[in-house]
Amino acid sequence: MSATRDTIFALSSGRPPAAIAVVRMSGPRAGAALQALTGRLPAPRQAALARVRDPQSGEVIDEALALWFPGPNSETGEDVAELQLHGGRAVIAAVLAVLGRIEGLRPAEAGEFTRRAFENGRLDLTAIEGLADLIGAETEAQRRQAYRQMKGLLGDRAETWRGRLIEALALVEARIDFSDEADVPEELVGPALAIAQGLRAEIADALAQAGRGERLRDGLVVAIAGPPNAGKSTLLNKIARREAAIVSPVPGTTRDVIEVHLDLDGYPVTLLDTAGIRDSDDPVEQEGVRRARERAADADLVLWVVDATAGPGSGLKPDSQSGPVVWTVRNKIDLLPESLSNEHESDLLLLFAVSATSGKGMNQILSALADFARDYFGSEPAMVSRERHRTALRVTLDALDRALAEGTKGREDIIAEELRLAAQTLGRLTGRVDVEDILDVIFRDFCIGK
């Protein structure tokens, strides 16, 4: 750590007013700043009650808990100090103003605490991305995946892969550089390629789960589609348990796509209410139908809603062979005679009979949606959760494929170069080698104080 580096400070807790406000400092003057405000340094990693004063006037600002974490055994790897204050706006403003007047201190930028943790080797890039996902997690499944990513689900594995690649590269380079030495075995390329072959299989397996991990961050997309006036908006409101969409008996009420984000048994789901699909001379409705078809085609699951009272053959569902999974939902069964309303209710995977108005049949469709989400995302968190991870592993895999292909040609220098590229790419994945060009992208969405 550089003694000339700025010491940063920020409010690291939520927006005031709140019960508690945490003000954090990190850098070479963190201890001096804490001592200036409280008159002493508490024992490392032990909370101590302290009166927080303005060093200039001596006025008491608040009573707080003070904590001291000397580097390098701290979150950022630097000296870190914290004040746990009462969370009123005036208290926070006064403390931040005092810190701003201390020489060598300045307000932190977004993500700067976490960036210093990375620069000081406390976190790798995959762990930092996991931390960002943990902060943004809205469902239990997202939380589990983000936490495991933060604790090294991908980063630790990537470093293990990189170590094995370096071992394979060393074997090939030994063969190239010391081929005339008597004590260097002639056959070193074979064991190196065997290592590369094993790594290829492991990385390919991780890539096979990439779409599932990335989708969990964004959520399962379920589109509600069908002909006009079939009760699509009513069904969306029933699933969402609130009036998210306007309901009207007039066909064509829904013109644009309405999105509702749900937590369905711990899984993130985005529900789309789309315009009724029909031929129309109205250019606005035509645009709504176009958008409805487009969003339904991109969804993971389509609930094709038809009016159960409209007669057989009405609103037939689209062909699902080349698109998303389609479930047919016969709505408005409360308007049918009892003998007809129960028809086909047992065929839950393909067809549901519901009344979005009365709620009849809704438990079955909600249960089926939860099962679909569980099967779609899988029970275990995916190792690859971002496009950046997928791209890096794909480049690594391609380099390994080229190295293995060169094994039959005996061009050891080409094999070594491809193994070196694969190792460098894995290093960029975790941030162990040149990643300056992607740091700003990773940290730009962090909040101030984190």
Side-chain angles (χ1 to χ4, degrees):
M1 293 181 295
S2 172
T4 60
R5 189 174 197 181
D6 287 342
T7 296
I8 56 175
F9 66 89
L11 174 67
S12 294
S13 53
R15 182 180 300 175
I20 301 294
V22 178
V23 172
R24 178 183 298 166
M25 296 155 270
S26 178
R29 293 191 55 79
L34 184 62
Q35 199 162 6
L37 268 69
T38 64
R40 63 190 177 94
L41 278 182
R45 289 169 289 281
Q46 293 184 22
L49 183 64
R51 286 186 174 178
V52 181
R53 298 177 182 271
D54 184 331
Q56 291 183 353
S57 66
E59 181 184 0
V60 176
I61 299 173
D62 192 19
E63 285 192 345
L65 289 179
L67 295 100
W68 168 238
F69 305 94
N73 298 318
S74 69
E75 183 181 0
T76 64
E78 303 175 325
D79 289 346
V80 172
E82 284 189 3
L83 288 170
Q84 297 184 5
L85 307 149
H86 292 97
R89 289 188 175 90
V91 172
I92 295 169
V95 171
L96 295 180
V98 167
L99 290 173
R101 292 197 297 267
I102 297 177
E103 184 179 355
L105 270 67
R106 64 168 175 82
E109 298 176 0
E112 193 168 5
F113 286 94
T114 307
R115 185 162 186 160
R116 290 191 177 194
F118 165 72
E119 292 171 349
N120 291 319
R122 303 295 290 177
L123 294 171
D124 68 35
L125 290 186
T126 62
I128 289 168
E129 289 166 327
L131 173 60
D133 289 343
L134 187 62
I135 293 171
E138 296 181 346
T139 71
E140 182 63 16
Q142 288 175 322
R143 181 201 63 77
R144 285 197 303 266
Q145 175 169 286
Y147 179 77
R148 291 193 61 182
Q149 196 70 272
M150 186 181 70
K151 301 306 289 185
L153 177 64
L154 175 60
D156 291 350
R157 183 69 64 86
E159 280 302 296
T160 300
W161 288 337
R162 183 167 171 261
R164 290 162 63 187
L165 272 173
I166 291 172
E167 177 187 347
L169 178 59
L171 291 174
V172 178
E173 291 190 335
R175 176 62 188 157
I176 294 172
D177 295 339
F178 305 106
S179 59
D180 55 346
E181 299 289 337
D183 59 345
V184 176
E186 287 198 23
E187 184 46 50
L188 292 176
V189 176
L193 292 177
I195 294 173
Q197 185 67 57
L199 287 174
R200 192 215 177 280
E202 293 180 29
I203 294 172
D205 184 60
L207 272 171
Q209 306 174 37
R212 180 164 58 87
E214 291 178 60
R215 178 61 83 184
L216 182 57
R217 295 180 65 245
D218 300 328
L220 180 75
V221 178
V222 178
I224 301 177
N229 213 27
K232 299 183 295 299
S233 297
T234 305
L235 181 64
L236 177 134
N237 290 343
K238 199 70 174 181
I239 295 175
R241 298 180 181 178
R242 62 185 177 90
E243 297 298 316
I246 297 174
V247 175
S248 167
V250 179
T253 299
T254 301
R255 296 295 183 95
D256 208 346
V257 178
I258 297 172
E259 296 189 11
V260 176
H261 300 280
L262 305 175
D263 180 343
L264 189 64
D265 270 15
Y267 295 98
V269 175
T270 298
L271 206 59
L272 307 179
D273 181 23
T274 63
I277 295 178
R278 66 173 180 177
D279 294 329
S280 173
D281 295 330
D282 184 344
V284 176
E285 188 173 0
Q286 288 176 357
E287 176 62 17
V289 170
R290 185 194 67 79
R291 294 185 183 186
R293 293 184 185 277
E294 186 178 85
R295 295 302 297 272
D298 292 337
D300 303 302
L301 172 66
V302 174
L303 301 182
W304 186 261
V305 183
V306 296
D307 186 343
T309 67
S314 172
L316 294 176
K317 69 178 182 180
D319 180 15
S320 61
Q321 292 182 356
S322 59
V325 177
V326 179
W327 291 351
T328 299
V329 180
R330 297 171 64 243
N331 190 26
K332 304 183 183 181
I333 62 169
D334 55 312
L335 303 180
L336 294 175
E338 187 67 23
S339 59
L340 293 177
S341 67
N342 291 327
E343 186 182 357
H344 300 304
E345 282 192 44
S346 61
D347 191 7
L348 293 181
L349 290 180
L350 296 176
L351 189 144
F352 298 84
V354 305
S355 168
T357 300
S358 70
K360 183 176 182 179
M362 289 303 301
N363 287 338
Q364 289 88 341
I365 197 170
L366 288 172
S367 177
L369 283 171
D371 290 342
F372 184 89
R374 192 176 300 109
D375 293 340
Y376 185 87
F377 292 123
S379 57
E380 289 297 320
M383 188 180 302
V384 179
S385 58
R386 288 176 178 253
E387 182 181 359
R388 188 182 76 85
H389 304 164
R390 176 163 45 84
T391 300
L393 292 183
R394 172 53 60 190
V395 172
T396 302
L397 197 66
D398 291 343
L400 289 175
D401 284 339
R402 292 192 296 269
L404 292 169
E406 289 294 334
T408 60
K409 303 173 185 177
R411 294 191 288 189
E412 297 163 352
D413 55 337
I414 302 297
I415 295 173
E417 186 58 33
E418 296 297 351
L419 293 178
R420 186 177 294 108
L421 173 61
Q424 288 176 345
T425 303
L426 287 177
R428 288 176 62 83
L429 178 62
T430 59
R432 301 304 183 197
V433 296
D434 175 32
V435 291
E436 191 63 33
D437 56 330
I438 63 173
L439 290 182
D440 290 339
V441 175
I442 290 176
F443 288 108
R444 68 185 177 190
D445 294 328
F446 273 83
C447 55
I448 299 291
K450 194 62 183 171

